[in-house]
């Protein structure tokens, strides 16, 4: 953090912000209702966060508070359900209308024990381990430009391969899909556009720059911050809003992954905050518990500031023009050039850093982020928390 005369320029102004919200997904047949349980107590939330949820999701203040508590409870249920299901676990997803988390299992014998965790239960054919293995075999294939991405989808109990609608009949795309089907259970869906990263040329006054590229800081870690790998290579110098040196990229990976971390010094320091851009109050970061599929999530970037949406898929391979990136999370949140590297956050829990997507914040689109815990583990970093 640096200061100007009479003005406090916070390091958090280079961060992005999000908040709790939610969404819903359906699943395969065979649902078993969870036992009745008392409604969770409303979770504490800032006035700004509640206002943003009301604006973005059409909720009343009371509904926003209930959703915060419900999604927090879903995270706890998912952790317990994974332990209970063991090798039979086949993924999970959250439904905003019911406030319930659905957990898939390959064993009918596990249903009662899973219901006891508070989850709704679906019995399916393939375990998460089997689906991940099928996806890994598809990862070994060379994808043409018309193939957007592929991911394990718990609700369909298949690997979903996304192809660009205008290129679905391209010979190379059809050959890739045929080979993917041989790898395991595959479902093909179409998307509007091919994915791309969200870096941008230099624009004065925005968060950080490397060379002629502008990106956004993700989350503070002890000794620096994490961001997107496509924003800079290892050793590249990073400049701040005032064009002074912040530090250097100490590690960077892209493609295959899309993550990096930057050292902080030269009069700058880290704080466990992401910026609300005036839409919500600046938010403290208190951990990195992973939100489930179907939960809502918010993103803030140096270009488009604050936007919210839903978690659509996890462990998705994204086929950028520069090469495939693995283990990404897909969302319905929009983004544009310069938002790369910024924070995806759920309540006070860090989720990941913005990688890329398609569309924009005028007409809509989708984005992917690299999960924060993978980045921390890769570089041995510790998230700076309040």
């Amino acid at each position: 953090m640096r200061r100007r005369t009479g003005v406090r320029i916070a390091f958090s102004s280079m961060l992005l912000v999000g908040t709790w919200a939610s969404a819903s997904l359906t699943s395969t047949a065979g649902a078993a209702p969870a036992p009745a349980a008392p409604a969770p107590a409303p979770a504490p939330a800032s006035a700004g966060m509640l206002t943003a949820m009301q604006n973005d999701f059409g909720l009343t203040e009371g509904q926003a508070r209930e959703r915060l508590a419900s999604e927090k409870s879903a995270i706890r249920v998912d952790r317990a359900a994974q332990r209970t299901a063991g090798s039979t676990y086949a993924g999970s997803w959250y439904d905003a209308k019911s406030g319930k988390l659905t957990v898939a299992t390959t064993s009918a014998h596990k249903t009662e024990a899973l219901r006891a965790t508070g989850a709704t239960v679906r019995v399916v054919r393939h375990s998460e381990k089997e689906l991940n293995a099928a996806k890994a075999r598809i990862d070994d294939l060379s994808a043409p430009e018309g193939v957007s991405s592929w991911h394990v989808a718990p609700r369909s109990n298949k690997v979903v391969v996304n192809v660009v609608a205008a290129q679905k009949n391209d010979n190379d795309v059809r050959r890739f899909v045929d080979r993917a089907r041989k790898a395991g259970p595959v479902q093909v869906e179409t998307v509007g556009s091919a994915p791309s990263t969200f870096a941008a040329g230099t624009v004065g006054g925005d968060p950080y720059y490397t060379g002629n590229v502008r990106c956004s800081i993700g989350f503070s870690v002890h000794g620096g911050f994490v961001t997107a790998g496509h924003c800079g290579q290892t050793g590249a110098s990073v400049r701040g809003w005032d064009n002074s040196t912040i530090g250097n990229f100490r590690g960077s990976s892209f493609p295959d992954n899309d993550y990096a971390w930057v050292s902080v010094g030269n009069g700058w320091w880290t704080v466990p905050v992401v910026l609300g851009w005036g839409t919500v109050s600046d938010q403290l970061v208190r951990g990195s518990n992973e939100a489930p599929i179907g939960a809502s999530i918010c993103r803030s970037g140096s270009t488009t500031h604050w936007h919210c949406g839903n978690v659509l898929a996890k462990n998705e391979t994204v086929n950028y023009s520069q090469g495939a990136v693995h283990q990404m999370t897909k969302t319905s949140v929009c983004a544009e050039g310069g938002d790369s590297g910024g924070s995806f956050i759920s309540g006070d829990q860090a989720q990941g850093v913005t990688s890329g997507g398609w569309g924009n914040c005028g007409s809509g689109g989708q984005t992917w982020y690299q999960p924060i815990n993978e980045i921390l583990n890769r570089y041995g970093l510790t998230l700076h928390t309040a």
Side-chain angles (χ1 to χ4, degrees), residues 52-342:
M53 291 180 68
Q54 292 173 72
N55 292 338
D56 290 335
F57 294 98
L59 304 175
T60 65
E61 180 178 338
Q63 289 171 332
R65 290 184 183 276
E66 289 175 4
R67 186 169 291 188
L68 287 172
S70 179
E71 291 194 354
K72 207 162 191 175
S73 176
I75 293 173
R76 292 193 295 268
V77 169
D78 194 31
R79 289 199 297 262
Q82 288 188 49
R83 292 192 296 267
T84 300
S87 62
T88 75
Y89 182 76
S92 67
W93 56 96
Y94 175 79
D95 181 80
K97 292 181 180 178
S98 67
K100 291 290 185 180
L101 183 83
T102 300
V103 172
T105 177
T106 58
S107 173
H109 300 295
K110 292 281 189 177
T111 56
E112 290 303 320
L114 286 169
R115 288 192 192 105
T117 68
T120 297
V121 182
R122 301 288 175 96
V123 178
V124 297
R125 181 175 179 181
H126 305 286
S127 69
E128 184 178 62
K129 182 177 180 180
E130 291 170 336
L131 293 174
N132 284 340
K135 178 184 172 294
R137 289 189 286 271
I138 299 174
D139 284 343
D140 289 336
L141 304 178
S142 178
E145 181 181 344
V147 177
S148 171
S149 62
W150 52 96
H151 68 272
V152 169
R155 72 182 183 94
S156 65
N157 199 229
K158 294 180 179 180
V159 178
V160 171
V161 175
N162 295 297
V163 300
V164 178
Q167 296 175 266
K168 65 180 181 180
N169 293 322
D170 179 87
N171 288 336
D172 289 339
V173 172
R174 295 176 70 173
R175 276 193 291 270
F176 179 88
V177 170
D178 288 342
R179 295 180 67 189
R181 292 188 190 281
K182 296 176 182 178
V186 163
Q187 175 178 322
V188 178
E189 297 182 358
T190 58
V191 296
S193 303
S196 62
T197 56
F198 284 127
T202 300
V203 176
D206 280 307
Y208 84 85
Y209 311 93
T210 177
N212 66 343
V213 171
R214 169 172 58 84
C215 282
S216 303
I217 288 173
F219 294 96
S220 292
V221 297
H222 291 288
F225 63 82
V226 295
T227 188
H230 71 263
C231 290
Q233 298 181 346
T234 302
S237 178
V238 173
R239 308 185 311 279
W241 61 266
D242 60 353
N243 208 38
S244 68
T245 298
I246 296 176
N248 297 85
F249 278 84
R250 297 291 299 277
S252 180
S253 178
F254 179 80
D256 187 28
N257 306 292
D258 192 6
Y259 50 59
W261 83 280
V262 174
S263 61
V264 167
N266 304 296
W268 297 80
W269 66 86
T270 66
V271 290
V273 171
V274 293
L275 183 67
W277 295 101
T279 302
V280 299
S281 57
D282 292 357
Q283 300 294 308
L284 293 175
V285 177
R286 299 189 184 278
S288 58
N289 291 324
E290 186 177 345
I293 292 173
S296 58
I297 193 166
C298 295
R299 177 200 61 75
S300 180
S302 61
T303 299
T304 60
H305 298 176
W306 170 266
H307 289 277
C308 298
N310 311 316
V311 177
L312 300 178
K314 296 185 180 183
N315 191 22
E316 182 151 25
T317 299
V318 181
N319 189 35
Y320 292 130
S321 61
Q322 300 95 328
V325 177
H326 304 91
Q327 296 179 316
M328 301 261 265
T329 297
K330 179 164 65 177
T331 81
S332 62
V333 186
C334 68
E336 296 179 13
D339 287 328
S340 280

Side-chain angles (χ1 to χ4, degrees), residues 341-360:
S343 316
F344 270 90
I345 189 167
S346 182
D348 56 10
Q349 300 297 305
Q351 299 297 309
V353 300
T354 304
S355 173
W358 60 269
N360 55 56

